[in-house]
Amino acid sequence: MYVCSCFGVTEKQVKEHADAGACTPRQIASACKAGTDCGSCVRRIQAILGRGNCPRRELLDQGMPALAAEFAEPDELSEAA
């Protein structure tokens, strides 16, 4: 089922991005543009994300960096560039 008609994003895609670490509608938007045009899908995206566990949120609550680049080893960053 489509969640975002503007960009053809499905519920399955939103769930895949959430499984990959997206915890907010803004992070979903960064991953696939859903919610960035008319905005009518943002509440549906919020409902899909729910109040479930969010690894990034848990890291932030512990005072740790939440982005992969922030806790990657320096050698890993130079190899990725």
Side-chain angles (χ1 to χ4, degrees):
M1 168 187 269
Y2 285 101
V3 171
C4 176
S5 299
C6 297
F7 293 103
V9 179
T10 65
E11 185 172 334
K12 180 182 176 190
Q13 289 172 299
V14 171
K15 288 179 180 179
E16 288 171 354
H17 291 302
D19 290 343
C23 300
T24 65
R26 183 172 284 175
Q27 291 169 339
I28 295 293
S30 293
C32 62
K33 293 187 177 181
T36 61
D37 195 24
C38 77
S40 66
C41 60
V42 174
R43 287 187 183 219
R44 177 71 182 130
I45 293 168
Q46 287 173 327
I48 292 169
L49 296 174
R51 290 271 185 202
N53 291 336
C54 177
R56 288 184 182 179
R57 191 173 300 125
E58 290 171 10
L59 288 172
L60 290 172
D61 289 345
Q62 296 171 10
M64 299 173 67
L67 299 176
E70 292 179 5
F71 55 83
E73 295 295 323
D75 292 339
E76 292 175 6
L77 291 176
S78 61
E79 290 172 10

